[in-house]
Amino acid sequence: MAEVRHVEPNVGKFDNTVLHLTQEGDPCRMWSNATIDRQLDAADVCPGETIGIKKSEEQYTYETDDGEEREAFDYEV
């Protein structure tokens, strides 16, 4: 579990989101992904709220728009 301190959108080459969190009193940053972003938006999570993020144990495969095959994990917020 971590407290959301700030959500920084459109960071880096691929315009990802960086979550600024505090976990057990220590500040940390986490690169988000589209799956996490959608769940945070749907739950209307704001700074000051506490969240947990759980990564699935099983990978899945998908194809990019360029036809490249990639592996990924699902996340639950």
Side-chain angles (χ1 to χ4, degrees):
M1 300 299 281
E3 181 182 341
V4 178
R5 305 299 290 167
H6 176 66
V7 178
E8 185 177 0
N10 306 318
V11 178
K13 179 180 177 181
F14 299 107
D15 293 328
N16 292 97
T17 301
V18 175
L19 303 173
H20 296 257
L21 309 168
T22 302
Q23 189 173 26
E24 296 180 10
D26 295 323
C28 62
R29 288 184 286 181
M30 177 185 156
W31 285 92
S32 189
N33 62 35
T35 301
I36 293 170
D37 289 350
R38 280 191 299 275
Q39 293 181 47
L40 291 172
D41 288 343
D44 199 26
V45 172
C46 300
E49 296 188 70
T50 301
I51 62 169
I53 299 173
K54 181 179 178 182
K55 178 180 166 184
S56 67
E57 293 182 20
E58 294 185 30
Q59 287 182 306
Y60 67 92
T61 303
Y62 70 96
E63 190 173 301
T64 67
D65 294 338
D66 298 332
E68 190 175 323
E69 192 170 285
R70 297 233 175 130
E71 292 182 345
F73 292 89
D74 276 326
Y75 291 86
E76 181 181 343
V77 178

